[in-house]
């Protein structure tokens, strides 16, 4: 251990003044050390029993400007350097023990030979300003105070502003993302969805006959039909299609064709009697595969038979692909109208234009006496259309031929094109095309 003695800087002080100032500096240093070490200092610990060495101090020294823990400044230059270590010696009287460096014999031995820069180090260690101004407040002594705790507190307060700014930036980025970006289906010009809030209103039957009517009205158009009802696929039976889709070299499924319509359904991928017991995420993944991993070729219209309700499939289709228009199908019954209204409002919320409403099973005509009976009510869908400000695309009667032809795999538009039911579907298909926007070039 090397001992340094510096000539006392303030030359105007007398010997007694120098000793008094030396003792005061030693008291301040010991008191400061006790605050950081967590021990209570008492005058019984003599401030004169200390040695100033070139070792690092046993406690961190706080800079009054930066408020950060740092070592003292070098006496020779104003930069950080190994600082003097205060090492207590047992007893304030008597000579030094063997192996120890003898301290100054004067009562103010701690600072007896300290220069001006050394005094700056003393005052800085005691958090006293040496160039004027108020001294910073002494840190409060509590159970959580110490070098590590104080450092953490100052670091937390300094970084809280940056953390808040980072959180604000992240929140703004998440909000700016919004809904998923819509990506068109390759080769498909326009997508038309047929939906209903209630099941059992003849939605799939209407979707099949509308797809066939689009081709019947304009044979130059290419039309596809997608069965998005994963839990209850019915397109394979109505279109008289069976088998598994083939794969292209690009690992895409080829849709099955009949009556000039390219069809894809979950019914082609599972057994006819096998139930689909899936949660929502698996259903959404299956719908995504039916949309994206199918080689549709070049289609002018893709008609999507939506499942009933306003759930995951509806949101996945309307948010992931650009939909040219939606058609709501309902019976005149009040219970069905309640759900049909929800379906129309759902498409409005996701910014899908609603082309109009179809009133299915509007009237029953007796095959013998030709008497008409409104089994499910009269003009319920028309009243709903007026309430929502939408158009009525047409009325479809309740006829036994519609049911029989679909069950046999020969829809009425194909098997009985001159019937009143087939003419109703042809008219509705024309109204849908008339309301569709101009397809992109």
């Amino acid at each position: 251990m090397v001992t340094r003695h510096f000539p006392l800087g303030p030359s105007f002080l007398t010997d007694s003044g120098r000793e008094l100032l030396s003792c005061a500096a030693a008291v301040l240093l010991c008191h400061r050390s006790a605050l950081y070490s967590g021990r209570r200092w008492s005058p019984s610990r003599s401030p004169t029993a200390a040695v100033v060495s070139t070792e690092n101090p046993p406690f961190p020294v706080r800079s009054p400007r930066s408020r950060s823990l740092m070592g003292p400044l070098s006496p020779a230059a104003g930069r950080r350097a190994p600082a003097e270590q205060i090492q207590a010696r047992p007893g304030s009287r008597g000579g030094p023990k063997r192996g120890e460096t003898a301290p100054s014999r004067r009562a103010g031995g701690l600072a007896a030979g300290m220069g001006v820069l050394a005094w700056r180090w003393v005052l800085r260690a005691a958090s006293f300003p040496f160039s004027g101004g108020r001294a910073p407040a002494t840190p409060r002594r509590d159970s959580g105070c110490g070098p590590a705790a104080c450092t953490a507190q100052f670091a937390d307060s300094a970084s809280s502003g940056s953390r808040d700014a980072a959180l604000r930036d992240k929140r703004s980025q998440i909000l700016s993302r919004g809904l998923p970006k819509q990506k068109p289906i390759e080769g498909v010009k326009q997508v038309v969805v047929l939906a209903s809030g209630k099941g059992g209103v003849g939605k799939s039957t209407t979707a099949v006959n509308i797809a066939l009517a689009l081709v019947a009205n304009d044979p130059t158009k290419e039309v596809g039909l997608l069965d998005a009802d994963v839990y209850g696929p019915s397109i394979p039976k109505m279109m008289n299609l069976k088998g598994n889709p083939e794969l292209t070299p690009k690992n895409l499924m080829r849709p099955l064709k009949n009556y000039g319509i390219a069809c894809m359904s979950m019914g082609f991928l599972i057994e006819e009697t096998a139930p689909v017991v899936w949660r929502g995420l698996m259903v959404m993944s299956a719908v995504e595969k039916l949309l994206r991993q199918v080689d549709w070729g070049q289609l002018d219209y893709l008609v999507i038979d939506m499942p009933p309700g306003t759930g995951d499939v509806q949101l996945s289709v309307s948010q992931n692909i650009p939909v040219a228009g939606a058609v709501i199908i309902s019976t005149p019954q009040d219970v069905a109208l309640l759900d049909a209204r929800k379906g129309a409002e759902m498409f409005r919320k996701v910014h899908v234009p609603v082309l109009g409403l179809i009133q299915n099973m509007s009237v029953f005509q007796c095959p013998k006496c030709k008497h008409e009976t409104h089994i499910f009510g009269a003009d319920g869908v028309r009243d709903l259309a007026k309430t929502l400000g939408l158009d009525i695309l047409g009325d479809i009667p309740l006829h036994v031929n519609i049911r029989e032809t679909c069950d046999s795999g020969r829809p009425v538009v194909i098997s009985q094109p001159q019937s009143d039911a087939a003419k109703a579907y042809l008219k509705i298909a024309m109204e849908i095309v008339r309301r569709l926007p101009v397809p992109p070039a």
Side-chain angles (χ1 to χ4, degrees):
M1 189 179 301
V2 180
T3 304
R4 288 185 180 180
H5 296 280
F6 300 96
L8 190 61
S11 57
F12 58 87
L13 294 178
T14 60
D15 292 340
S16 301
R18 292 176 183 176
E19 292 178 0
L20 181 60
L21 193 56
S22 300
C23 292
V27 169
L28 287 174
L29 287 176
C30 294
H31 180 65
R32 188 70 172 175
S33 176
L35 284 177
Y36 280 105
S37 62
R39 296 178 298 176
R40 185 177 183 84
W41 178 83
S42 62
S44 60
R45 298 176 181 175
S46 174
T48 60
V51 175
V52 180
S53 69
T54 57
E55 302 292 333
N56 289 328
F59 57 92
V61 180
R62 187 179 303 278
S63 170
R65 293 183 179 178
S66 64
R67 291 288 185 185
S68 61
L69 298 179
M70 57 177 288
L73 298 177
S74 171
R79 60 180 182 271
R80 298 175 66 174
E84 287 78 5
Q85 180 180 6
I86 300 179
Q87 189 175 22
R89 189 171 66 86
S92 58
R93 297 184 181 181
K97 292 186 178 181
R98 182 175 299 177
E100 293 181 351
T101 305
S104 174
R105 301 301 183 184
R106 304 173 60 183
L110 172 66
M114 300 181 69
V116 175
L117 291 179
W119 273 108
R120 285 186 180 179
W121 177 82
V122 171
L123 296 176
R124 177 170 293 182
S127 294
F128 273 82
F130 50 82
S131 60
R134 293 183 59 185
T138 305
R140 297 177 59 182
R141 295 176 60 248
D142 51 26
S143 58
C145 185
C150 293
T151 306
Q153 290 176 3
F154 284 116
D156 290 343
S157 61
S159 62
S160 60
S162 59
R163 285 200 304 267
D164 293 342
L167 287 175
R168 285 194 299 269
D169 293 341
K170 187 174 182 180
R171 189 182 298 111
S172 61
Q173 291 175 3
I174 293 175
L175 293 177
S176 64
R177 294 174 188 172
L179 297 177
K181 292 184 178 179
Q182 294 181 341
K183 182 180 178 181
I185 302 175
E186 185 177 357
V188 178
K189 292 182 180 179
Q190 290 182 311
V191 176
V192 180
V193 297
L194 274 71
S196 65
K198 177 73 67 178
V201 296
K203 173 181 51 59
S204 296
T205 302
T206 304
V208 168
N209 283 283
I210 291 296
L212 293 170
L214 289 173
V215 176
N217 289 335
D218 191 352
T220 62
K221 300 295 184 181
E222 294 291 335
V223 180
L225 181 59
L226 172 61
D227 189 358
D229 194 349
V230 176
Y231 293 114
S234 53
I235 298 299
K237 183 174 181 61
M238 293 184 179
M239 293 295 291
N240 194 23
L241 290 171
K242 292 183 180 180
N244 297 325
E246 297 179 354
L247 295 179
T248 66
K250 295 182 179 180
N251 203 27
L252 299 177
M253 294 182 290
R254 283 197 178 99
L256 277 64
K257 275 193 172 185
N258 196 13
Y259 309 123
I261 306 295
C263 302
M264 179 54 63
S265 172
M266 193 68 191
F268 300 148
L269 308 177
I270 61 174
E271 296 293 333
E272 186 176 358
T273 59
V276 177
V277 187
W278 286 352
R279 296 185 184 274
L281 290 177
M282 297 183 67
V283 173
M284 294 168 64
S285 177
V287 172
E288 182 71 16
K289 289 182 179 356
L290 293 176
L291 290 172
R292 305 290 184 188
Q293 297 186 10
V294 175
D295 184 12
W296 290 105
Q298 298 297 321
L299 296 181
D300 295 288
Y301 307 111
L302 175 61
V303 179
I304 300 181
D305 179 20
M306 303 285 279
T310 56
D312 295 331
V313 176
Q314 286 81 357
L315 289 177
S316 297
V317 171
S318 59
Q319 292 179 357
N320 291 325
I321 62 174
V323 179
V327 177
I328 305 298
I329 304 168
S330 177
T331 62
Q333 188 179 3
D334 290 343
V335 175
L337 294 173
L338 290 174
D339 293 334
R341 181 167 187 168
K342 296 176 183 177
E345 294 294 344
M346 185 272 296
F347 283 115
R348 285 180 171 179
K349 287 183 180 294
V350 295
H351 308 291
V352 173
V354 180
L355 303 179
L357 280 72
I358 297 176
Q359 182 168 254
N360 195 24
M361 308 180 195
S362 58
V363 62
F364 171 73
Q365 187 179 47
C366 179
K368 294 183 178 180
C369 65
K370 306 300 180 180
H371 177 71
E372 294 184 351
T373 303
H374 299 278
I375 296 178
F376 296 102
D379 299 331
V381 178
R382 293 183 180 276
D383 296 338
L384 178 61
K386 291 179 181 178
T387 303
L388 298 177
L390 299 173
D391 297 331
I392 286 290
L393 301 179
D395 293 78
I396 301 173
L398 178 61
H399 202 285
V400 65
N401 289 342
I402 299 176
R403 192 269 306 169
E404 289 178 348
T405 53
C406 280
D407 287 347
S408 62
R410 291 182 54 83
V412 69
V413 173
I414 294 296
S415 60
Q416 301 176 9
Q418 300 302 322
S419 64
D420 293 339
K423 291 179 180 180
Y425 287 119
L426 294 172
K427 180 183 177 181
I428 292 173
M430 293 178 60
E431 294 294 331
I432 291 175
V433 173
R434 190 168 64 87
R435 287 170 171 78
L436 285 175
V438 178

